[in-house]
Amino acid sequence: MSQESASTKEEAQLCWGFPAVLKAVALVAVWVFALWLAGCSARPQRATGDLGIVIERAGGSALIIETTGRTVVTQVEGLGDLSHASAVYSRDERYAYVFGRDGGLTKLDLLNGDVSNRVLQSGNSIGGAISQDGRLVAVSNYEPGGVRVFDAETLALVADIPAIYGTGEQRSKVVGLVDAPGQRFVFSLFDAGEIWVADLSDPSQPSIQRYTDIGVQPYDALITPDGRYYIAGLFGEDGLALLDLWHPAQGVRRILDGYGRGEEPLPVYKMPHLEGWALAGNLAFLPAVGRHEVLVVDTDGWQEVARVPVQGQPVFAMARPDGRQVWVNFALPDNDTVQVIDSESQRVVRTLKPGKGVLHMEFTPRGEAVWVSVRDLDRVEVYDTATFERLATLQASKPSGIFLTDRAGRIGL
Amino acid sequence: MSQESASTKEEAQLCWGFPAVLKAVALVAVWVFALWLAGCSARPQRATGDLGIVIERAGGSALIIETTGRTVVTQVEGLGDLSHASAVYSRDERYAYVFGRDGGLTKLDLLNGDVSNRVLQSGNSIGGAISQDGRLVAVSNYEPGGVRVFDAETLALVADIPAIYGTGEQRSKVVGLVDAPGQRFVFSLFDAGEIWVADLSDPSQPSIQRYTDIGVQPYDALITPDGRYYIAGLFGEDGLALLDLWHPAQGVRRILDGYGRGEEPLPVYKMPHLEGWALAGNLAFLPAVGRHEVLVVDTDGWQEVARVPVQGQPVFAMARPDGRQVWVNFALPDNDTVQVIDSESQRVVRTLKPGKGVLHMEFTPRGEAVWVSVRDLDRVEVYDTATFERLATLQASKPSGIFLTDRAGRIGL
């Protein structure tokens, strides 16, 4: 209505006594206004603090979601092979860097809802990290084994760190890559049984500290939220390797040595993830490899203080941001279940059955809700962590990892 | 250049054989394009994860800043009396809620760079908090004494909690207001010597738990980053009051009782702030009232384990996010100085002299830099926390509080 009257007014002013063709041109001007108005309003201002992505592993796509209204903003395709994919965020929380299994590093623009850049940086990669200052993105590779570091802005290669060990001909698969304060990246060499600390304060000349003989087959690692302790899980033996980054000269020491000793280990259906480990107060909650237990460790002396019996082989044990609850999911045949441990009583207080294929869980920054991906039902469920009530259900195609933008401000995520 | 050729092309198409006046109108159309292009590009997409505000107390204005390029984005005026102002953020990190001394609650739009809403909600207020789910903003008031809760979207009054005590005629000043998990707000009554916990799970019916006789004149308070322990400093006596929110039935207990006993207390030039307290591992670093000391407290038993001698009366003692350093500023006559304590050796490792009137410090989310407001020099200084090198200097008019958007995702900030 206002559109019409506007154009009429326009004609009256411009076209007084002019030929009809002139009116037409004047109308063009009016529609130009209208078109550009539409063009501008089509992309309103949007903040990024409540955004996140959900990896859709089957289709090589990701959903951009928002946690305030609990809705899907849009879907972005063309991310390659996203089996076992993970992501980190730019310091302004605009871009997600998605690490694909095919060696693809994809820079996802959360505001434009598209792929702003993508490089195939190796044949087979397993995850990555972003430097403390947000300027460097590191990727850990299986093939060729090593770490490559890229400019977060352009994705140009900044440094290449081949994981060469032993006689110098072999390259090891790299796992458990995390960022640490002081522009450092810490990672483990699966085949070599080593932990490396790379300082990229000068990106053109990474200084690398190597720790050898740390144990057989480190398969994943974590770093405490303060960035002080790096802990690698060992698949080849019964314990974990710990490095105190405040005292690197003290070297790597063994903790929880033989936590399964003397007992018949179960076959391992799925390796647990340590990155999503849980720290509640002074207590760490770690998924035990192959056992139906979550280990409780006192971080003061790194001694085991308790074990919490759970329904199956734990995969992720994740603490609610306030540390009061630890949410656990499981390997087959129990991957339809989530159990909630009260960190104080160290007992399971709730068992949920979201459905087959619970692959990942992510808490909102202040912990009032948790997002759970249920692959086989093509759903993401959002739960209230106080009432355990289901707050929302979102459709997603074979969802796996869920990553919210507040990770941008956290150490080691 | 491209502009000219574009218009030439336009003329060629539209004006073949038309009178000159027609050419003019065609040109109008071209300039319409150009104008709208400018209009759109004038406000590009902008993420909010690396934004923040600097309070300019004298002029009732605030600077919107960004920590990636370390620049001022814009200045926003009309925020009223900002002496002793603080701020919290909306869960999407788009809006800052600024609490002014004049009772003004201003909703600042970081993307549009303007005031999107403002209410004068009391005669004299002292700070505020935002609920865990981001839907409620609470303000603590001196006059009339109490807490008022507003809808974060509209700033409509949702709940009014008068701080009535004793015989029922008096109202107490309210201090130390923080958010806690479970839609709770916790605050202290200065005149009454009480701590109240308000649960706003049902905003229309706040349920309030009162703790009386907690000590004389609670002047400020803090909550641990996990939202478990609420600690109020006492001005009227020698100790602090602690409430374990995981065990509210246990009531409030006294800690650090008589930490200054038997020594001649110094005159207090400026009350220390507890909100910016420092927690490093299991150790809390607290500014001692009136003493040239920072108290080191073991949070396991809440016992004093050490005192760090510092240059003056500490105002803020703030931990770098990794907990390795504690930065301290001071009351007059030492308010030109900042000292850095190594949390492990518990010694001052660096003394900086940013200049007269160091009022506040804020770390970037992962701690690589710290922003320091220097009121009397009208400057904000940014330091590298690893090298102590000055990274940037920004002009600001009488800067005081600095608040970065990552506070949106933190408990109790």
Side-chain angles (χ1 to χ4, degrees):
Chain A
M1 201 46 212
S2 61
Q3 189 54 67
E4 284 178 30
S5 59
S7 61
T8 317
K9 189 150 165 285
E10 195 79 4
E11 288 174 79
Q13 291 172 339
L14 290 174
C15 308
W16 175 80
F18 290 167
V21 63
L22 185 46
K23 294 186 183 181
V25 175
L27 277 171
V28 167
V30 175
W31 286 113
V32 165
F33 271 103
L35 282 173
W36 275 104
L37 271 169
C40 288
S41 56
R43 200 185 291 165
Q45 298 277 74
R46 195 352 168 165
T48 49
D50 60 345
L51 296 181
I53 63 170
V54 176
I55 300 295
E56 296 184 308
R57 57 186 294 161
S61 56
L63 298 178
I64 298 173
I65 55 92
E66 57 83 26
T67 64
T68 301
R70 304 181 192 110
T71 61
V72 172
V73 177
T74 187
Q75 185 194 45
V76 185
E77 297 179 312
L79 279 65
D81 177 359
L82 294 184
S83 52
H84 206 287
S86 63
V88 297
Y89 284 96
S90 62
R91 56 175 292 131
D92 66 355
E93 299 181 347
R94 174 168 184 162
Y95 301 101
Y97 300 91
V98 181
F99 309 101
R101 193 55 182 267
D102 56 2
L105 167 59
T106 308
K107 187 177 180 182
L108 202 60
D109 185 332
L110 271 61
L111 288 178
N112 288 342
D114 58 18
V115 171
S116 79
N117 200 352
R118 173 171 164 84
V119 293
L120 266 177
Q121 57 84 43
S122 83
N124 186 337
S125 64
I126 193 62
I130 186 163
S131 63
Q132 183 180 29
D133 69 359
R135 301 184 196 284
L136 302 172
V137 174
V139 189
S140 58
N141 293 317
Y142 276 3
E143 187 48 48
V147 170
R148 289 201 169 123
V149 182
F150 299 87
D151 180 304
E153 188 66 33
T154 63
L155 298 192
L157 184 67
V158 170
D160 191 359
I161 305 171
I164 294 164
Y165 69 102
T167 57
E169 290 102 44
Q170 303 136 286
R171 290 177 69 155
S172 170
K173 293 193 188 72
V174 171
V175 299
L177 171 66
V178 300
D179 62 277
Q183 290 296 93
R184 290 175 298 176
F185 293 110
V186 188
F187 49 91
S188 299
L189 279 59
F190 177 83
D191 309 293
E194 298 184 5
I195 292 174
W196 290 14
V197 179
D199 183 334
L200 278 91
S201 301
D202 176 358
S204 64
Q205 310 225 319
S207 103
I208 293 166
Q209 176 70 49
R210 306 174 179 202
Y211 299 89
T212 58
D213 300 319
I214 61 105
V216 178
Q217 294 178 324
Y219 65 90
D220 193 13
L222 61 89
I223 191 165
T224 49
D226 61 3
R228 175 172 182 176
Y229 297 103
Y230 179 84
I231 300 171
L234 301 173
F235 189 57
E237 49 194 294
D238 206 2
L240 300 94
L242 178 138
L243 176 62
D244 180 350
L245 293 168
W246 286 16
H247 299 287
Q250 292 175 2
V252 174
R253 72 180 219 250
R254 184 67 53 89
I255 61 169
L256 303 185
D257 208 5
Y259 63 79
R261 181 181 300 148
E263 305 170 38
E264 190 56 47
L266 303 164
V268 178
Y269 296 109
K270 181 170 175 30
M271 289 306 296
H273 281 264
L274 291 181
E275 194 217 342
W277 85 322
L279 191 66
N282 304 335
L283 299 179
F285 291 74
L286 297 167
V289 179
R291 316 202 59 81
H292 291 195
E293 293 169 336
V294 170
L295 307 177
V296 185
V297 181
D298 184 331
T299 57
D300 288 342
W302 294 102
Q303 300 298 315
E304 177 184 328
V305 292
R307 297 181 182 203
V308 182
V310 288
Q311 179 169 322
Q313 294 186 1
V315 175
F316 283 103
M318 312 189 79
R320 197 172 67 176
D322 69 348
R324 185 62 193 268
Q325 296 176 349
V326 177
W327 288 54
V328 186
N329 70 331
F330 303 99
L332 283 166
D334 301 291
N335 73 350
D336 63 340
T337 302
V338 169
Q339 289 191 303
V340 182
I341 297 169
D342 175 86
S343 63
E344 198 174 37
S345 66
Q346 294 166 18
R347 289 213 193 80
V348 171
V349 293
R350 194 82 170 205
T351 297
L352 302 169
K353 297 273 182 187
K356 279 282 172 198
V358 173
L359 294 191
H360 197 228
M361 302 168 286
E362 178 92 333
F363 290 93
T364 52
R366 292 204 279 165
E368 73 280 6
V370 62
W371 289 53
V372 178
S373 55
V374 190
R375 181 195 53 202
D376 300 2
L377 299 183
D378 294 311
R379 288 209 299 241
V380 172
E381 305 283 12
V382 184
Y383 292 95
D384 182 315
T385 61
T387 63
F388 302 106
E389 164 199 0
R390 191 186 309 178
L391 298 172
T393 298
L394 294 83
Q395 299 306 312
S397 166
K398 301 285 169 282
S400 57
I402 304 173
F403 306 94
L404 301 183
T405 52
D406 74 292
R407 286 173 172 253
R410 316 277 176 175
I411 295 168
L413 289 184
Chain B
M1 206 40 213
S2 60
Q3 188 55 64
E4 286 177 30
S5 59
S7 60
T8 316
K9 191 151 165 283
E10 195 78 3
E11 289 173 79
Q13 291 173 338
L14 289 173
C15 308
W16 175 80
F18 290 165
V21 63
L22 186 45
K23 295 186 182 181
V25 176
L27 278 172
V28 168
V30 174
W31 286 113
V32 166
F33 271 105
L35 282 172
W36 275 106
L37 270 170
C40 287
S41 55
R43 198 185 292 166
Q45 297 278 73
R46 180 37 162 132
T48 48
D50 60 345
L51 296 180
I53 64 171
V54 176
I55 300 294
E56 296 183 308
R57 58 186 295 159
S61 55
L63 298 178
I64 297 173
I65 55 93
E66 57 83 26
T67 64
T68 302
R70 303 183 194 110
T71 61
V72 172
V73 178
T74 187
Q75 185 194 46
V76 185
E77 296 180 312
L79 280 64
D81 177 359
L82 295 184
S83 51
H84 207 288
S86 63
V88 298
Y89 284 96
S90 63
R91 57 176 291 133
D92 67 355
E93 298 180 349
R94 173 167 186 163
Y95 301 100
Y97 300 91
V98 181
F99 309 101
R101 193 54 180 270
D102 57 2
L105 168 58
T106 307
K107 188 177 180 182
L108 202 59
D109 185 332
L110 270 60
L111 288 178
N112 288 341
D114 58 18
V115 171
S116 78
N117 199 352
R118 172 171 165 84
V119 294
L120 267 176
Q121 57 83 44
S122 83
N124 186 337
S125 63
I126 193 60
I130 187 162
S131 62
Q132 183 181 27
D133 69 359
R135 301 184 196 284
L136 303 172
V137 175
V139 189
S140 58
N141 292 318
Y142 277 4
E143 188 47 50
V147 169
R148 288 201 170 122
V149 182
F150 300 87
D151 180 304
E153 188 65 33
T154 64
L155 298 192
L157 184 67
V158 171
D160 191 358
I161 305 171
I164 294 164
Y165 69 103
T167 58
E169 290 102 43
Q170 303 135 286
R171 289 177 70 154
S172 171
K173 293 193 187 71
V174 171
V175 299
L177 171 66
V178 300
D179 63 277
Q183 290 295 94
R184 289 176 297 176
F185 293 110
V186 189
F187 49 93
S188 299
L189 279 59
F190 177 83
D191 309 293
E194 298 183 5
I195 291 174
W196 290 13
V197 179
D199 183 332
L200 277 91
S201 302
D202 175 0
S204 64
Q205 309 223 322
S207 102
I208 294 167
Q209 176 70 50
R210 305 175 181 201
Y211 300 89
T212 58
D213 301 319
I214 62 105
V216 177
Q217 295 177 325
Y219 65 90
D220 193 13
L222 61 89
I223 191 165
T224 48
D226 62 3
R228 175 171 181 176
Y229 297 103
Y230 180 83
I231 300 171
L234 301 174
F235 189 56
E237 50 194 292
D238 208 0
L240 300 95
L242 177 137
L243 175 62
D244 180 351
L245 293 167
W246 287 16
H247 299 286
Q250 292 176 0
V252 174
R253 72 180 220 249
R254 185 66 54 88
I255 60 170
L256 302 185
D257 208 5
Y259 64 78
R261 181 180 301 146
E263 305 170 40
E264 190 56 46
L266 304 163
V268 178
Y269 296 108
K270 181 171 175 30
M271 290 306 297
H273 281 265
L274 291 181
E275 194 219 343
W277 83 324
L279 190 64
N282 304 335
L283 298 179
F285 291 74
L286 298 167
V289 179
R291 317 201 58 80
H292 291 195
E293 293 169 337
V294 170
L295 306 177
V296 185
V297 181
D298 184 331
T299 57
D300 288 341
W302 293 102
Q303 300 297 316
E304 177 184 327
V305 292
R307 297 182 182 202
V308 182
V310 289
Q311 179 169 322
Q313 293 186 3
V315 175
F316 283 103
M318 312 189 79
R320 196 171 68 175
D322 69 349
R324 185 62 192 270
Q325 295 177 350
V326 177
W327 288 54
V328 185
N329 71 330
F330 303 99
L332 283 166
D334 301 291
N335 72 351
D336 63 340
T337 302
V338 169
Q339 289 191 305
V340 181
I341 297 169
D342 176 85
S343 63
E344 196 174 40
S345 67
Q346 295 166 18
R347 288 213 193 81
V348 170
V349 293
R350 194 81 170 207
T351 298
L352 302 169
K353 296 275 183 186
K356 279 283 172 198
V358 173
L359 294 191
H360 198 229
M361 303 168 286
E362 177 93 332
F363 290 93
T364 52
R366 292 205 277 165
E368 74 279 7
V370 62
W371 289 54
V372 179
S373 56
V374 191
R375 180 195 54 203
D376 300 3
L377 299 183
D378 294 312
R379 289 209 298 241
V380 171
E381 305 284 13
V382 184
Y383 293 94
D384 182 314
T385 61
T387 63
F388 302 106
E389 165 199 359
R390 190 185 311 178
L391 298 172
T393 297
L394 295 82
Q395 298 307 310
S397 168
K398 301 284 170 284
S400 56
I402 304 174
F403 306 93
L404 301 184
T405 52
D406 74 292
R407 286 173 172 253
R410 314 278 177 175
I411 295 167
L413 290 183

